[in-house]
Amino acid sequence: MQKTKNFLKYDPIVYSLETPKYHLLQFDANNRFSGWVFNFGEKKIDRLKVYNDGEFVDHFMVEGLREDVGGHVPSILAAKTSGFDFNLHIEKNSKQLTFEIIFDDGSKEPFFEFDVAKTLSQQAYLNQLREKITSLHKPDGDLVYLTQGHYNVEEYQNSIIPGVLNMRQYLEQSGVDLNKVHSLLDFGCGSGRYLTGWHLVAPLMTLYGCDLNAILMSWAQKNLPNQIKCLRSNLMPPLPYHNNQFDLIYLISVFTHLSLKAQKIWIQELKRILKKGGYILLTLHGELYVRNNFWKEPQKVEEFLSRGFTENGASSDEGANHYGTYHAPEFTEKLFDEFQLVGYFPNGRIDNHRTLFQIAQSQDVYVFQNNE
Ligand SMILES: C[S@@+](CC[C@H](N)C(=O)[O-])C[C@H]1O[C@@H](n2cnc3c(N)ncnc32)[C@H](O)[C@@H]1O
């Protein structure tokens, strides 16, 4: 119990590296580095400094207009001008790019590292994945908006490979032997973003997905590869799967939109269809999201800090993106007390390092095992 106790409360650096994703990095060529980053606090990020194998290359301003980001983060003015966009020439003999944040008061802190050597060593494999993914169908902007809250189809498509590679890393770090994962369920799969990724990286796995949204499910059933079996499910259990059917069930930003009452009922249903010794990976909104979404409602923040949980939205909106729930780690551990916590990655961080590509923005990632 209380394995999550000694972790940082939340990482105030909120970001997205939109290009280049791992599988799109070009060697001995110019690469466009673009995305956004802001500090969830008083200090504003002024620029990024980039080092190639420890040697300073250049610095780049963080000032590009990003109304889309600002729209989601009303509490931080700087989110509106959090864009960066610059070119970097990447040589094949380069090993690591290091990015550093410079704040407007002159202070600095490490941002993240891009492991160029590792990407180069996997280039043949990443190229293969890239070719395969471009031949698959992709949803249009309106469908993308239903699950991601943005209309950028390219960003959606490019997030699939890094996302699934990242999910694999969370699982491996939690002690999951992926060779023993033969069947998985993506609960709340939307248009099957990550199912497509698993189909590419683990073609022998049996892949299932379910979602309550009829529009998304109808698209998924028509457009995902045949090996992926999707069905439309209901807001509440049961699901039409056998007892002990799955080795792994994952929920990417799904309990973030279900009431606590519904979550408790779903946990029992997920336990029923999960094998003994099987795993659940899920992402949840933590304190960062509470402080952003309730910046004008201090009593909600207080409730979260004392109870470890809060939610907002009308019960008729349950399951939709504007119904929000927020979990502190200790609360989550208790909620899943029939399971064993085997992995906790606050804001998606691994070993206290930011990952380049998060699976669900700054949400916390948990891995639980179904006790034998
Ligand atoms: C934020 S979207 C994430 C979609 C997908 N997991 C991804 O990462 O692309 C949340 C999804 O959960 C689905 N959902 C919410 N409650 C659900 C429930 N009780 N059963 C099945 N799906 C649900 C929604 O319809 C929506 O597609």
Side-chain angles (χ1 to χ4, degrees):
M1 257 310 202
Q2 298 287 294
K3 286 190 187 155
T4 53
K5 206 165 149 190
N6 297 321
F7 280 85
L8 179 87
K9 288 180 80 168
Y10 60 89
D11 179 5
I13 301 300
V14 187
Y15 65 97
S16 172
L17 180 60
E18 292 173 330
T19 69
K21 307 287 194 209
Y22 295 128
H23 60 299
L24 298 170
L25 193 70
Q26 303 276 321
F27 293 93
D28 292 335
N30 267 333
N31 284 268
R32 180 177 174 212
F33 280 76
S34 64
W36 51 266
V37 56
F38 64 87
N39 175 43
F40 194 84
E42 302 270 291
K43 287 195 290 188
K44 184 179 175 312
I45 296 177
D46 187 52
R47 64 212 139 97
L48 300 179
K49 263 187 168 180
V50 183
Y51 300 82
N52 182 17
D53 296 333
E55 262 183 47
F56 174 65
V57 179
D58 211 339
H59 57 87
F60 303 96
M61 301 310 287
V62 175
E63 59 185 6
L65 198 63
R66 291 298 303 245
E67 297 278 7
D68 53 339
V69 181
H72 289 290
V73 193
S75 62
I76 303 290
L77 211 58
K80 263 193 195 162
T81 51
S82 59
F84 59 84
D85 198 339
F86 50 86
N87 282 317
L88 282 181
H89 194 83
I90 312 276
E91 307 281 345
K92 265 202 174 117
N93 62 6
S94 142
K95 302 222 165 359
Q96 191 174 59
L97 287 174
T98 312
F99 291 74
E100 189 179 52
I101 288 170
I102 311 293
F103 294 98
D104 56 355
D105 64 0
S107 59
K108 55 190 180 184
E109 71 164 77
F111 186 9
F112 55 55
E113 283 104 41
F114 201 127
D115 193 338
V116 179
K118 188 172 165 201
T119 310
L120 180 64
S121 72
Q122 298 178 337
Q123 207 188 10
Y125 175 60
L126 292 171
N127 282 346
Q128 248 181 33
L129 295 178
R130 187 182 64 206
E131 272 166 36
K132 284 191 196 156
I133 206 155
T134 44
S135 67
L136 298 176
H137 297 278
K138 46 187 177 209
D140 65 18
D142 289 341
L143 279 189
V144 166
Y145 181 77
L146 288 181
T147 57
Q148 312 303 310
H150 66 69
Y151 294 92
N152 188 340
V153 177
E154 203 182 334
E155 171 63 17
Y156 172 96
Q157 183 84 341
N158 291 341
S159 75
I160 292 174
I161 292 171
V164 91
L165 294 178
N166 228 3
M167 207 190 306
R168 222 163 56 171
Q169 221 182 328
Y170 291 128
L171 291 165
E172 283 169 351
Q173 288 261 334
S174 307
V176 180
D177 180 354
L178 284 166
N179 294 316
K180 295 189 178 151
V181 175
H182 303 295
S183 63
L184 64 75
L185 171 67
D186 184 331
F187 180 82
C189 65
S191 41
R193 185 166 65 119
Y194 288 140
L195 282 170
T196 314
W198 282 106
H199 170 68
L200 298 181
V201 304
L204 298 180
M205 258 185 214
T206 314
L207 304 174
Y208 290 82
C210 67
D211 200 290
L212 55 73
N213 185 306
I215 303 169
L216 291 165
M217 265 310 89
S218 146
W219 185 88
Q221 284 167 335
K222 280 192 208 117
N223 292 288
L224 293 182
N226 287 337
Q227 295 90 327
I228 300 176
K229 297 170 182 56
C230 283
L231 59 84
R232 184 175 171 206
S233 50
N234 298 312
L235 183 63
M236 297 305 285
L239 287 170
Y241 304 120
H242 306 302
N243 292 351
N244 310 315
Q245 183 166 340
F246 297 103
D247 298 303
L248 169 68
I249 301 175
Y250 62 86
L251 304 88
I252 309 301
S253 198
V254 181
F255 270 21
T256 42
H257 307 294
L258 285 178
S259 68
L260 187 56
K261 190 172 162 221
Q263 291 175 31
K264 287 181 177 165
I265 299 171
W266 271 114
I267 288 173
Q268 291 311 314
E269 177 65 351
L270 297 178
K271 194 172 165 67
R272 178 186 73 76
I273 60 176
L274 191 62
K275 283 186 187 150
K276 301 286 170 277
Y279 296 91
I280 290 185
L281 178 149
L282 84 159
T283 70
L284 297 171
H285 295 137
E287 186 173 330
L288 177 74
Y289 286 84
V290 177
R291 293 193 177 274
N292 178 48
N293 292 353
F294 303 112
W295 66 299
K296 285 189 172 161
E297 294 172 72
Q299 75 284 3
K300 277 284 203 192
V301 180
E302 281 311 314
E303 182 194 349
F304 177 83
L305 293 178
S306 59
R307 185 181 169 210
F309 180 81
T310 187
E311 55 195 309
N312 70 322
S315 58
S316 54
D317 289 340
E318 250 196 272
N321 285 352
H322 48 279
Y323 187 96
T325 63
Y326 309 83
H327 298 69
E330 302 77 17
F331 186 92
T332 310
E333 277 193 82
K334 282 193 199 116
L335 184 62
F336 281 84
D337 62 356
E338 292 177 40
F339 292 74
Q340 191 189 345
L341 181 72
V342 290
Y344 173 55
F345 306 91
N347 301 122
R349 289 162 73 107
I350 299 179
D351 290 338
N352 225 11
H353 284 273
R354 293 183 191 109
T355 61
L356 291 181
F357 307 110
Q358 297 149 305
I359 57 174
Q361 203 38 69
S362 290
Q363 291 185 24
D364 300 323
V365 180
Y366 297 83
V367 182
F368 289 98
Q369 185 170 26
N370 192 10
N371 288 324
E372 311 239 15

